[in-house]
């Protein structure tokens, strides 16, 4: 996620660190060469399990994964792009994790008991070991929590722990976390999809609290350990014998940092790859046409939308914001720019984050009840005519070079804005520069956010809470979110989150544009079972197999 913490500091969770093209950044573009198998005839599909053939039962000796960006640090607490999360997911665990449906599941804690609205008791597994063979202890976990809360050690995620009152050892294999206030989202914090990655206390000390560097790579309790890391080049991982779970079929993984889409496509066509994630939609037909290729699409819980700084002129005028909202043809963007591989966003929450309460289809219907601004240029003109700038104005909108489709969409609605008297200067920026600009709260900005948890309030709480990127304040919404935070009933909590987003829609501080999808390409040499938008945040290699 891209994130602004409660102090207003910007971090990058869920955003790629460096250049990548394509519609989503669910993952890397993954290139692998497994078993030297020759490609089979092409097939393609939309959705589904992505199984490409019968499981041979054999190991995949080497899985080559090409990431569409570079990593300079593997520890998400230090560098929190979504790619860092995917690498760390198979190395380090939290007290809890996430399953393929987006639900919280046990990880290093075999059991979690919420004994009061603010008290969580975690029973630590007695069979968990770190990569060095040492047992995972409560002391190791408490030290990792201390490091996670330290803004110098974990600058990208430390603020997520702001509601923690105390972390204490309450038994030989037991830890109790106490929050300052009751908050249903707190249960996600000690997970490796949110803000906790557990390493031995000795590893933290040896690394001088700089875990994740080339000199001190990740050490954890997951199914893989880092064997080599060259920042901005590659990282290699090997399957370990200390893992207590199912033995993955992939023996070794090598992540190559390859930012250029054309280079990845050429490698695929040269039969040097068996799998690729984040297939750019602009190239999707070329990938689908490649021999032995099946492209599978899935929602990735991403949100793209416009943010209006409601304290900056002319966006402090709600009629200006509504004029822009009516001038953006979101249906056309999804159809023509995303090639149908996405969904018009009607809210800040994404449908896939209501698991256990609603299916994504049911959630989409519930979220559609939030008031929308239909594409209507005449209404847009009327709104602008009654605003503080009836004769129009000029504004700028930047987008990251990692998301060219954002720029294409901006140029499309800029043409319509021109018709009502608003000139939009669209510019591409290197992602680091774009992120820096967002930290200045520009008058108009894009947000491209990737939810990592299954909490339906993940984005809404940030966008509508203190320190939000729109500088938007609404006492009624604040009260509603406070009720949602302490509401344990999923249905009532969902209703409160929708109520808050409905109130925001009237003020149009944010204009949701679309919820995205990711695309993966598979060759006949590799299959993947039960692939969902959450798979890459789990022990994802266990879903892969050598196919025939």
């Amino acid at each position: 996620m891209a994130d602004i913490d409660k102090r207003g500091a910007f971090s990058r969770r869920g955003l790629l660190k460096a250049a990548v093209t394509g519609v989503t950044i669910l993952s890397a573009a993954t290139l692998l060469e497994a078993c030297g198998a020759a490609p089979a005839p092409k097939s393609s599909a939309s959705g589904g399990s992505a199984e490409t053939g019968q499981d041979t039962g054999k190991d995949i000796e080497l899985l080559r994964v090409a990431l569409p960006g570079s990593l300079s640090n593997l520890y998400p607490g230090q560098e929190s792009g979504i790619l860092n999360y995917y690498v760390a997911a198979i190395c380090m665990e939290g007290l809890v994790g996430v399953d393929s449906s987006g639900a919280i599941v046990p990880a290093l804690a075999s059991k979690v008991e919420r004994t009061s609205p603010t008290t969580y008791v975690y029973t630590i597994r007695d069979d968990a070991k770190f990569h060095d063979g040492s047992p995972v202890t409560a002391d190791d976990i408490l030290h990792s929590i201390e490091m996670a809360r330290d803004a110098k050690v974990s600058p990208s995620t430390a603020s997520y722990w702001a509601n923690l009152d105390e972390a204490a050892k309450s038994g030989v294999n037991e830890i109790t976390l106490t929050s300052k206030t009751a908050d249903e989202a707190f249960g996600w914090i000690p997970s490796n999809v949110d803000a906790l990655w557990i390493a031995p206390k000795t590893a933290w000390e040896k690394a001088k609290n700089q875990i994740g560097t080339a000199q001190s790579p990740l050490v954890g309790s997951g199914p893989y350990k880092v064997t080599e890391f060259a920042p901005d080049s590659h990282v290699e991982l090997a399957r370990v014998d200390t893992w207590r779970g199912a033995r993955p079929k992939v023996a070794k993984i090598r992540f190559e940092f390859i930012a250029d889409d054309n280079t990845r496509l050429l490698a695929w066509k040269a039969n040097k790859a068996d799998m690729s994630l984040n297939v750019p939609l602009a190239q999707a037909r070329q990938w689908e046409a490649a021999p032995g290729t099946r492209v599978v699409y899935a929602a990735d819980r991403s949100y793209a939308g416009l943010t209006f700084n409601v304290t900056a002129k002319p966006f402090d005028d709600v009629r200006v914001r509504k004029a822009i909202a009516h001038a953006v043809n979101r249906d056309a963007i999804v159809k023509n720019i995303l090639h149908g591989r996405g969904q018009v966003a009607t809210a800040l929450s994404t449908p896939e984050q209501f698991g256990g309460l609603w299916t994504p289809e049911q959630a989409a219907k519930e979220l559609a009840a939030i008031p929308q601004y239909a594409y209507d240029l005449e209404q847009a003109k009327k709104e602008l005519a009654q605003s503080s700038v009836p004769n129009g104005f000029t504004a700028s909108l930047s987008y990251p070079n990692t998301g060219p489709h954002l720029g294409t969409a901006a140029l499309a609605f800029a043409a319509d804005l021109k018709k009502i008297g608003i000139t939009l200067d669209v510019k591409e920026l290197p992602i680091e520069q774009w992120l820096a600009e967002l930290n200045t709260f520009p008058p108009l900005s894009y947000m491209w956010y990737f939810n990592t948890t299954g909490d339906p309030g993940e984005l809404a709480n940030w966008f509508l809470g203190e320190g939000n990127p729109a500088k938007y304040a609404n006492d009624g919404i604040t009260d509603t979110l406070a009720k949602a935070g302490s509401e344990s009933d999923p249905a009532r909590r969902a209703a409160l989150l929708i109520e808050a987003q409905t109130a925001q829609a009237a003020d149009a501080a944010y204009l949701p544009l679309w919820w995205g999808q990711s695309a993966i390409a598979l060759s006949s040499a590799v299959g993947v079972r039960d692939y969902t938008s959450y798979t890459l945040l789990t022990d994802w290699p266990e879903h892969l197999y050598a196919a025939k």
Side-chain angles (χ1 to χ4, degrees):
M1 286 157 248
D3 217 351
I4 294 177
D5 66 25
K6 292 184 177 180
R7 298 163 309 197
F10 191 87
S11 65
R12 293 187 310 237
R13 190 165 60 143
L15 287 175
L16 287 185
K17 174 177 179 288
V20 53
T21 58
V23 170
T24 66
I25 48 176
L26 165 81
S27 73
T30 303
L31 299 163
L32 72 97
E33 186 173 42
C35 308
K42 179 191 86 70
S43 64
S44 64
S46 177
S49 66
E51 294 191 30
T52 54
Q54 184 179 350
D55 187 351
T56 66
K58 298 179 180 178
D59 281 2
I60 297 174
E61 295 301 326
L62 175 64
L63 182 70
R64 242 178 240 178
V65 182
L67 301 186
S70 62
L71 306 181
S72 58
N73 190 299
L74 302 178
Y75 173 52
Q78 181 68 224
E79 181 178 291
S80 58
I82 193 67
L83 300 183
N84 303 77
Y85 272 74
Y86 294 155
V87 174
I90 58 176
C91 297
M92 304 179 78
E93 297 180 274
L95 284 168
V96 292
V98 64
D99 66 11
S100 290
S101 71
I104 292 177
V105 293
L108 283 177
S110 60
K111 182 176 71 171
V112 183
E113 184 179 5
R114 192 175 183 181
T115 58
S116 82
T118 59
T119 307
Y120 299 75
V121 180
Y122 298 86
T123 301
I124 310 306
R125 294 184 183 277
D126 57 13
D127 60 347
K129 294 182 179 180
F130 288 116
H131 297 152
D132 61 6
S134 63
V136 177
T137 69
D139 290 335
D140 292 313
I141 296 172
L142 287 174
H143 188 76
S144 292
I145 292 174
E146 183 181 343
M147 295 298 96
R149 299 177 66 190
D150 189 324
K152 292 183 179 179
V153 179
S154 305
S156 292
T157 55
S159 64
Y160 303 161
W161 290 89
N163 196 29
L164 177 66
D165 184 42
E166 182 182 28
K169 184 176 179 180
S170 49
V172 177
N173 288 318
E174 185 179 277
I175 285 175
T176 297
L177 301 184
T178 306
S179 60
K180 297 174 184 176
T181 61
D183 183 1
E184 291 302 302
F186 187 82
W188 288 95
I189 303 299
S191 71
N192 66 349
V193 300
D194 205 4
L196 182 61
W197 298 269
I198 296 167
K201 182 177 180 180
T202 54
W204 288 107
E205 294 171 342
K206 182 179 179 181
K208 297 182 180 179
N209 300 332
Q210 294 299 313
I211 275 182
T213 63
Q215 295 74 30
S216 302
L218 301 180
V219 179
S221 55
Y224 290 86
K225 67 177 181 180
V226 176
T227 56
E228 182 177 322
F229 175 39
D232 301 323
S233 174
H234 66 274
V235 58
E236 293 185 354
L237 302 98
R239 185 174 58 199
V240 297
D241 295 328
T242 52
W243 175 238
R244 66 188 179 279
R247 184 174 181 269
K249 294 291 186 181
V250 181
K252 296 181 180 180
I253 304 172
R254 180 180 173 94
F255 293 91
E256 295 281 359
F257 305 152
I258 304 175
D260 184 73
D261 286 331
N262 291 326
T263 301
R264 292 196 300 277
L265 181 57
L266 288 173
W268 182 270
K269 290 182 175 180
N271 299 326
K272 293 182 178 179
D274 288 303
M275 180 179 180
S276 180
L277 281 68
N278 196 48
V279 171
L281 292 196
Q283 293 182 337
R285 291 183 180 177
Q286 296 178 62
W287 283 85
E288 291 173 350
T293 305
R294 183 187 184 196
V295 179
V296 180
Y297 303 86
D300 61 7
R301 306 177 316 286
S302 65
Y303 162 94
L306 295 179
T307 299
F308 303 103
N309 182 336
V310 299
T311 67
K313 292 185 180 301
F315 302 104
D316 58 340
D317 187 335
V318 67
R319 291 193 179 277
V320 170
R321 304 195 295 269
K322 289 182 177 181
I324 293 176
H326 280 299
V328 178
N329 192 337
R330 298 180 294 168
D331 288 305
I333 290 174
V334 170
K335 179 180 178 180
N336 301 323
I337 296 174
L338 305 187
H339 305 284
R341 300 303 182 182
Q343 187 175 356
V344 170
T346 60
L348 305 176
S349 300
T350 69
E352 292 73 30
Q353 291 179 279
F354 290 85
L357 175 62
W358 298 320
T359 65
E361 293 76 19
Q362 291 171 327
K365 290 181 180 179
E366 297 289 340
L367 295 172
I370 295 173
Q372 303 297 308
Y373 292 90
Y375 174 60
D376 187 336
L377 291 181
E378 290 306 312
Q379 184 61 36
K381 291 177 182 178
K382 291 178 182 178
E383 294 285 356
L384 193 64
Q386 299 176 61
S387 75
S388 58
V389 284
N391 297 320
F393 60 93
T394 298
S396 63
L397 178 67
S398 65
Y399 67 94
N401 60 349
T402 57
H405 62 296
L406 297 173
T408 304
L411 290 173
F413 58 72
D416 276 333
L417 288 172
K418 188 73 172 178
K419 297 175 184 176
I420 68 170
I422 299 175
T423 299
L424 192 62
D425 179 19
V426 179
K427 57 182 179 179
E428 179 186 87
L429 294 177
I431 189 170
E432 297 292 350
Q433 186 177 344
W434 178 70
L435 291 169
E437 182 182 272
L438 288 182
N439 201 35
T440 68
F441 298 90
L444 177 65
S445 61
Y446 248 132
M447 180 50 64
W448 194 22
Y449 185 97
F450 288 73
N451 295 279
T452 57
T453 74
D455 176 16
E458 179 179 335
L459 183 56
N461 282 325
W462 169 36
F463 269 25
L464 303 178
E466 182 183 355
N468 66 73
K471 293 193 174 182
Y472 172 64
N474 181 307
D475 291 341
I477 289 177
T478 299
D479 291 343
T480 301
L481 288 179
K483 293 176 183 177
S486 59
E487 179 55 69
S488 59
D489 181 81
R492 288 196 291 267
R493 183 166 183 252
L496 287 167
L497 289 170
I498 291 176
E499 179 183 333
Q501 294 178 70
T502 298
Q504 184 286 134
D507 292 333
Y510 301 97
L511 176 62
L513 296 177
W514 68 81
W515 298 312
Q517 290 186 358
S518 68
I520 66 170
L522 298 164
S523 80
S524 59
V526 175
V528 57
R529 295 187 180 90
D530 304 320
Y531 177 76
T532 73
S533 67
Y534 288 97
T535 297
L536 293 177
L537 294 168
T538 68
D539 303 323
W540 54 266
E542 73 177 22
H543 292 261
L544 303 177
Y545 59 89
K548 66 177 181 179

